[in-house]
Amino acid sequence: MRIDILCLFPDMFTSPFEQSIIKRAKESNLLNIVTHNIRDYTHDSHHTVDDYPYGGGPGMILKPEPIFELAETIQHGVDTDNMPIVLLTPQGKLLTQKIIRDLALQPHLILICGHYEGIDERVHEHLATDEISIGDYVLSGGELAAMVMVDAITRLIPGVLGSEESAKDDSHSNGLNGLLEYPQYTRPATYRSWSVPPILLSGNHEKIAQWRKRQSILRTATRRPEMLQQVILSCEEKSWISERSLNQN
Ligand code: SAM
């Protein structure tokens, strides 16, 4: 997979992309990330990337010309049919694991990071194919949002995670059918008088699987009840969870 990132501060990516799973994905040639400085595609002596907003108002707006020129340079000679060009913006669709799963299937993506007051609307309208927000808050620039996306996508590229760190049973994954993950413990079995639930030490895999499923349901019901509405539960699971809710009330 190739990901091109268009931004004003490419050095911000150096350390995050040289650690852990992203580093490993790059070294195994499963992922090629190319960061580009929008400023390199300006043609005036000051390398101007921004200008005042038409109509007045605070802040500066990123100019369209260098962003279009850079994106078109990347696209030159490449099959661009269906290539996602994702603009990071707090006005975009909220990022979910489903969007990440779909993007992880693509061979090539372009991510565009804004800065200052944002980007000229013509980039939104005539270049971006998708607009994505990583949450309902405002960052100073799209670089951190792009890092979040690249990290989440990289975990899903086949071959990147070893079987011991599979993404299949993570919260929000298909493996858990839309539930949050159950509580996890490791050694020691007792720490500061807090003991691991005995069922996890029992060696009874069937009972452990049932306990984990129930814990996932309970955790989703208490922390993210709106997610539980999308999950298909068995009759036995439904009556177990409703008993728990009645007992808690
Ligand atoms: N004035 C813009 C608005 O109200 O929508 C916000 C501009 S923000 C200060 C600068 C840049 O940071 C944006 O162009 C975008 O690329 C990035 N950004 C900020 N918050 C973001 C978020 N929640 N998700 C994705 N990108 C974000």
Side-chain angles (χ1 to χ4, degrees):
M1 177 177 208
R2 173 170 167 149
I3 304 180
D4 285 276
I5 302 175
L6 285 56
C7 64
L8 284 188
F9 298 97
D11 289 350
M12 283 178 72
F13 295 93
T14 310
S15 174
F17 288 175
E18 286 308 323
Q19 321 282 332
S20 182
I21 284 165
I22 297 181
K23 177 182 183 202
R24 219 162 64 200
K26 284 168 45 188
E27 285 174 352
S28 324
N29 290 325
L30 293 168
L31 176 64
N32 179 17
I33 306 173
V34 189
T35 52
H36 306 264
N37 194 335
I38 294 169
R39 205 173 287 282
D40 294 341
Y41 289 78
T42 54
H43 299 291
D44 62 315
S45 57
H46 291 101
H47 299 290
T48 312
V49 289
D50 56 352
D51 211 329
Y52 296 100
Y54 274 122
M60 301 295 274
I61 306 297
L62 291 188
K63 291 162 69 60
E65 310 95 302
I67 298 176
F68 272 91
E69 190 179 320
L70 171 48
E72 283 159 7
T73 305
I74 295 166
Q75 290 173 306
H76 186 73
V78 174
D79 178 9
T80 54
D81 280 357
N82 306 321
M83 185 202 291
I85 303 180
V86 178
L87 178 60
L88 280 318
T89 161
Q91 302 176 25
K93 198 168 170 184
L94 272 185
L95 185 59
T96 60
Q97 190 68 9
K98 160 94 177 72
I99 294 177
I100 293 292
R101 268 198 298 274
D102 291 345
L103 290 175
L105 297 174
Q106 299 290 336
H108 193 171
L109 312 176
I110 295 180
L111 304 181
I112 305 176
C113 308
H115 226 91
Y116 312 127
E117 263 316 293
I119 302 188
D120 186 284
E121 187 63 21
R122 288 162 288 192
V123 174
H124 294 248
E125 282 178 2
H126 304 294
L127 183 58
T129 59
D130 301 270
E131 298 190 19
I132 290 182
S133 164
I134 65 160
D136 287 341
Y137 42 81
V138 178
L139 303 163
S140 310
E143 288 83 356
L144 288 169
M147 284 177 214
V148 167
M149 290 197 60
V150 170
D151 186 284
I153 289 170
T154 304
R155 297 172 58 71
L156 300 188
I157 299 174
V160 167
L161 292 187
S163 56
E164 73 284 359
E165 47 190 8
S166 155
K168 140 176 119 32
D169 285 339
D170 283 332
S171 302
H172 308 289
S173 69
N174 282 342
L176 283 182
N177 291 324
L179 293 168
L180 299 178
E181 196 185 47
Y182 42 81
Q184 297 270 35
Y185 298 85
T186 186
R187 287 169 184 77
T190 301
Y191 174 65
R192 296 189 175 181
S193 84
W194 302 310
S195 294
V196 171
I199 185 74
L200 296 178
L201 311 178
S202 69
N204 184 333
H205 296 296
E206 207 177 305
K207 288 271 178 222
I208 291 172
Q210 186 196 47
W211 180 86
R212 286 180 163 167
K213 178 79 188 287
R214 287 180 168 184
Q215 290 298 316
S216 278
I217 296 169
L218 187 60
R219 186 158 274 207
T220 311
T222 48
R223 298 183 184 190
R224 298 290 301 275
E226 83 288 0
M227 279 171 60
L228 200 61
Q229 284 163 16
Q230 313 298 322
V231 179
I232 300 168
L233 300 177
S234 68
C235 295
E236 182 265 324
E237 286 163 348
K238 277 184 196 153
S239 64
W240 180 81
I241 191 71
S242 63
E243 267 171 41
R244 296 284 307 202
S245 319
L246 287 176
N247 290 342
Q248 275 166 8
N249 289 338

